[in-house]
Amino acid sequence: MTSTGAGELLQAEAELWCHAFGYLKSMALQCAIKLGIPNAIHRCGGAASLPELHAALPVAASKRPCLSRIMTFLAASGIFGVETPEDGEVTGVRYHLTAASRLLVEDESGSGGHACLSQLVLLIMTPIHFRASQSLADWLKDEDDAAAAETPFMAAHGASFYGFASRDAEFGACFNEAMGSDSRFVAETMVRECGPVFAGLTSLVDAGGGDGTTARAITRAFPHVRCSVLELPHVVDAAPADGTVEFIVGDMLEFIPPADAVLLKFVLHNWSDEDCVRILKQTKEAISTREPKGKVIIIDVVLGSSSCKQIREAQLSLDLCMMMLFPGKQRGEQVWHKMFLEAGFTRYKISPVLGSRSLIEVFP
């Protein structure tokens, strides 16, 4: 057995501290969003000193020294950038937005700027999610509980994720807003980077497309594509009807209306492999008469699609999240391939152009 030196052990201790205190990164980020720090820095032209933040934020005067410590922590975590004056004077330190914190800035002008992901981040940090994660070990150990509760979320809250969201109005609203912001973010990137995917299409069904955010973005960017959204009754009832897209009530496990293409955006990771194959078979029926144009467009995680350490960690975090919330999971290419074959498809193309997620085109 190889002996471990004192230096290595102390480094290991520091590593354990970082893991054990990892939740503080989440809580500090939550604090920054709730105080409006990204918006305040944006209003100051993209960089702000501590005195400027003190003036702009609802922080009690007696607790302003604590804000400096939180900003130092968030800057060390990469959420904000920091510029320190040569004399080291604290009041001269300026914090600026990074690519990550720019995604937390609200579009106050109403000019249709980039999507703000603050609500998505806050959803992930809710006590409701946190309690589900605290149930993970007990859920794994308890045979009886595993049989009664399909997920740690169900073990913690006595209901499925969507069941809980339907009965808790505040959480349900938070979830809907978060999913809407994520859809706007992905749609902006997709229509900008993936235009050729929609070439030659005249119709598209967004199965499980929520309030139609993604379908509307596709219609605006590609007017030649007529878009429909397939959703459950309560989702359609709440969706805004502006005539841009058609809403169709239905269950994708049972039927998907015919179209040149079917879009499944961040849908299949919620489901087991067996249910995914059922859904994919329905999509194949929907596009089978539309060949050679017919295809299924999937936006989802393909584990291992990137060599970037941060993207890999994000993908594995999403996989663990799915295990806690739903019976689904994130999948590597081998599993995707197997499901496509079982559903009757012959070929597919994976394009890792959406960060942690990939765009997958599947053909009959």
Side-chain angles (χ1 to χ4, degrees):
M1 181 176 178
T2 305
S3 61
T4 305
E8 190 176 350
L9 287 173
L10 291 170
Q11 177 72 21
E13 179 198 39
E15 184 178 350
L16 288 176
W17 279 7
C18 289
H19 280 290
F21 287 127
Y23 70 94
L24 290 177
K25 285 187 179 182
S26 298
M27 293 304 100
L29 179 56
Q30 181 191 67
C31 174
I33 295 172
K34 289 186 172 182
L35 289 177
I37 294 175
N39 292 330
I41 295 176
H42 176 68
R43 292 190 206 106
C44 289
S49 65
L50 280 171
E52 288 173 322
L53 290 177
H54 292 160
L57 301 174
V59 177
S62 63
K63 295 172 183 171
R64 285 176 178 173
C66 296
L67 181 63
S68 171
R69 293 159 66 182
I70 291 171
M71 293 302 295
T72 299
F73 181 83
L74 288 170
S77 301
I79 297 298
F80 299 113
V82 61
E83 303 161 10
T84 305
E86 292 182 5
D87 60 10
E89 180 61 38
V90 174
T91 56
V93 173
R94 292 182 67 78
Y95 296 96
H96 60 82
L97 297 173
T98 61
S101 48
R102 276 196 292 272
L103 290 176
L104 304 175
V105 175
E106 297 173 4
D107 178 26
E108 298 167 324
S109 66
S111 60
H114 67 72
C116 174
L117 298 183
S118 289
Q119 286 302 317
L120 178 65
V121 174
L122 291 176
L123 172 71
I124 295 168
M125 296 173 182
T126 60
I128 292 166
H129 272 228
F130 190 66
R131 282 198 294 274
S133 68
Q134 289 180 306
S135 300
L136 182 57
D138 290 338
W139 178 79
L140 286 168
K141 290 188 293 184
D142 195 329
E143 286 286 355
D144 293 335
D145 194 40
E150 197 173 21
T151 62
F153 187 95
M154 190 176 291
H157 300 291
S160 68
F161 182 89
Y162 288 120
F164 186 92
S166 66
R167 76 185 191 198
D168 186 307
E170 184 178 355
F171 181 70
C174 178
F175 173 73
N176 290 336
E177 191 170 349
M179 293 300 98
S181 67
D182 181 64
S183 291
R184 285 189 291 275
F185 176 72
V186 173
E188 288 170 7
T189 308
M190 182 175 65
V191 299
R192 186 173 61 245
E193 304 292 335
C194 309
V197 172
F198 302 95
L201 301 179
T202 60
S203 59
L204 177 144
V205 173
D206 186 358
D211 65 359
T213 296
T214 302
R216 287 188 180 88
I218 294 171
T219 297
R220 285 194 299 269
F222 310 104
H224 60 280
V225 183
R226 177 175 51 82
C227 290
S228 304
V229 175
L230 176 70
E231 264 295 359
L232 297 173
H234 70 278
V235 179
V236 172
D237 290 343
D242 59 7
T244 308
V245 300
E246 178 188 7
F247 285 89
I248 301 170
V249 174
D251 183 345
M252 71 181 79
L253 284 164
E254 305 299 332
F255 171 75
I256 296 175
D260 290 343
V262 175
L263 174 64
L264 296 168
K265 183 190 74 67
F266 237 27
V267 168
L268 295 180
H269 69 175
N270 289 351
W271 299 87
S272 66
D273 290 353
E274 294 75 18
D275 282 335
C276 284
V277 171
R278 283 183 62 193
I279 293 169
L280 287 167
K281 284 181 177 179
Q282 294 297 337
T283 66
K284 186 171 184 297
E285 287 295 317
I287 65 169
S288 62
T289 60
R290 305 290 173 153
E291 296 181 37
K293 293 184 295 185
K295 63 181 175 182
V296 179
I297 303 169
I298 298 171
I299 297 173
D300 222 316
V301 169
V302 178
L303 291 174
S305 62
S306 172
S307 59
C308 172
K309 180 178 181 295
Q310 197 162 39
I311 287 180
R312 174 69 172 168
E313 184 176 344
Q315 291 178 336
L316 294 174
S317 297
L318 285 165
D319 183 48
L320 199 60
C321 179
M322 289 303 103
M323 185 174 71
M324 287 191 298
L325 303 182
F326 303 106
K329 59 184 177 181
Q330 310 297 354
R331 299 168 171 92
E333 183 175 354
Q334 285 188 332
V335 178
W336 283 112
H337 183 192
K338 182 174 181 291
M339 291 195 309
F340 296 152
L341 289 179
E342 288 182 11
F345 292 92
T346 60
R347 59 191 177 94
Y348 64 92
K349 176 185 176 183
I350 296 176
S351 302
V353 293
L354 296 172
S356 302
R357 293 170 273 203
S358 291
L359 186 144
I360 313 172
E361 297 171 85
V362 192
F363 305 92

